[in-house]
Amino acid sequence: MSSGQKPRAFRINPEPPPGPGVTTTPLAARPEQARIVEEPFEIVDAADGVAVPVAPRRRSPWGALFLTAAGGLVSLGIGLSIERMIADLFQAAPWLGWVALALLGLAGLALLAIVGRELAGLRRERKIERLRQSAIDALATRDHTGAQAVVQALSTFYADRESLAPGRARIDAAADAILDVDDRIGLAEHELLAGLDRQARNAIASTAKQVSAVTALSPRAIVDVAFVVFAAVRLLRRIAAIYGGRPGFLGFLRLARAAVAHLTVTGGMAVGESVMQQVLGLGIAARVSAKLGEGVLNGLMTARFGLAALNVCRPLPFVREAPPRLADVAGELLRAAEPESK
């Protein structure tokens, strides 16, 4: 393709136009008929019209096979070492062998408890994800039955929280009312999630201020990095707990990955163009100090990560409630970035 020409897509086998008096129906006449089809596509060179098929990328199984085999070998080695150690202890002194067996039993019991907690946390996270996806599908297809099921499932999910009992009662009272899909899910959102949203916003705002203050006063960069990571981990766990998640180690990794992916989709790991203009364009570092400007930027980055975590951990999309903005959770930091009034 020659330089200066933009690529264009052409239909390889165009269909003949319909005859007179013949009407055509679009492929997705209604929202419930729309579907996403993932299949290989073709790139067409506008210069010569040559179609180049692109095969879908396949994941190699060798990496998973290597990790499985290596993990099996390590497990066998550890088990064989423990077995030999216990046998040697029995030969040296029988009571030492029994002590080692008791310790091994306690370790196995603790391992089972840890695995059970991890599985319970993963199951609870998947339930939250299914609730959010079901609500999105019900809103897209205007499914009243699906919306009622989502509201009922959300009310059951928070059945153990006494503070939400009045909201659950109001939702049950409106169960037989004729409501639109948006209104029904919005009612559940207002009654059950509005208070949790305020708690999450307060947690994000307080964490952002802490990060900003600590990184502005810390003498070394390694302290800044360590505290920012620690604050992000604690914030993610706190937001997950506010919305009903109980992530273990594996669950936390899933949430962190989802939050980072959400950041990438909604603007990347950078602060955003408007925030950069407010912070860097107004010359904080020149007016006060480079360290204070770094603290404000770290606080804003923590606030953005918190907002991404909120969207990932929330069991419903924002329907009637206004989604929190960066100014809502980092308003003091943004005001600190503004130049002094003359």
Side-chain angles (χ1 to χ4, degrees), residues 4-310:
Q5 294 181 344
K6 297 182 179 179
R8 293 180 297 171
F10 299 93
R11 185 182 294 273
I12 304 301
N13 295 317
E15 299 178 357
V22 179
T23 59
T24 59
T25 303
L27 294 179
R30 291 188 297 271
E32 59 268 17
Q33 294 179 340
R35 58 190 180 94
I36 299 176
V37 180
E38 296 183 358
E39 57 185 10
F41 58 92
E42 294 183 345
I43 298 177
V44 181
D45 195 327
D48 48 15
V50 178
V52 181
V54 179
R57 185 177 179 180
R58 297 179 180 178
R59 294 184 178 181
S60 175
W62 296 110
L65 181 61
F66 170 76
L67 292 178
T68 303
L73 287 176
V74 172
S75 301
L76 288 176
I78 293 175
L80 184 59
S81 300
I82 293 175
E83 189 272 335
R84 288 180 178 176
M85 180 189 67
I86 294 176
D88 293 340
L89 289 176
F90 269 110
Q91 291 180 358
W95 66 273
L96 288 177
W98 289 111
V99 170
L101 280 178
L103 293 176
L104 180 61
L106 290 176
L109 182 62
L111 180 61
L112 288 178
I114 292 173
V115 171
R117 187 181 63 180
E118 292 288 339
L119 292 178
L122 290 174
R123 184 169 60 251
R124 201 167 179 87
E125 286 182 21
R126 290 194 178 98
K127 188 173 183 179
I128 292 176
E129 293 174 359
R130 287 195 298 268
L131 273 173
R132 184 169 58 250
Q133 188 59 46
S134 299
I136 294 174
D137 295 340
L139 290 169
T141 59
R142 318 304 301 173
D143 185 2
H144 294 271
T145 303
Q148 290 178 341
V150 168
V151 171
Q152 183 61 37
L154 184 66
S155 180
T156 305
F157 184 76
Y158 290 124
D160 57 343
R161 297 199 180 188
E162 295 297 332
S163 59
L164 299 179
R168 293 196 302 270
R170 286 188 287 270
I171 290 175
D172 294 338
D176 296 331
I178 301 176
L179 297 175
D180 194 11
V181 174
D182 294 347
D183 295 332
R184 188 173 298 277
I185 295 181
L187 175 64
E189 179 188 27
H190 177 73
E191 296 294 344
L192 299 179
L193 298 183
L196 304 183
D197 292 340
R198 287 192 294 270
Q199 296 179 27
R201 285 198 298 267
N202 294 335
I204 296 172
S206 62
T207 302
K209 287 189 289 187
Q210 289 177 2
V211 169
S212 178
V214 171
T215 55
L217 298 176
S218 63
R220 296 188 178 277
I222 187 64
V223 178
D224 299 350
V225 174
F227 186 78
V228 168
V229 173
F230 169 76
V233 170
R234 185 179 61 179
L235 178 61
L236 180 57
R237 287 188 176 276
R238 187 175 177 184
I239 293 176
I242 288 174
Y243 287 108
R246 299 167 187 171
F249 179 73
L250 297 179
F252 170 78
L253 292 181
R254 290 183 76 252
L255 284 179
R257 179 181 179 184
V260 172
H262 187 274
L263 267 180
T264 304
V265 171
T266 57
M269 293 300 297
V271 177
E273 183 179 356
S274 60
V275 177
M276 291 295 291
Q277 291 176 354
Q278 289 179 342
V279 177
L280 296 180
L282 298 176
I284 292 183
R287 279 200 305 115
V288 185
S289 68
K291 195 64 178 175
L292 180 58
E294 181 182 350
V296 173
L297 283 176
N298 288 332
L300 293 175
M301 288 293 297
T302 304
R304 280 183 60 84
F305 178 79
L307 292 177
L310 186 150

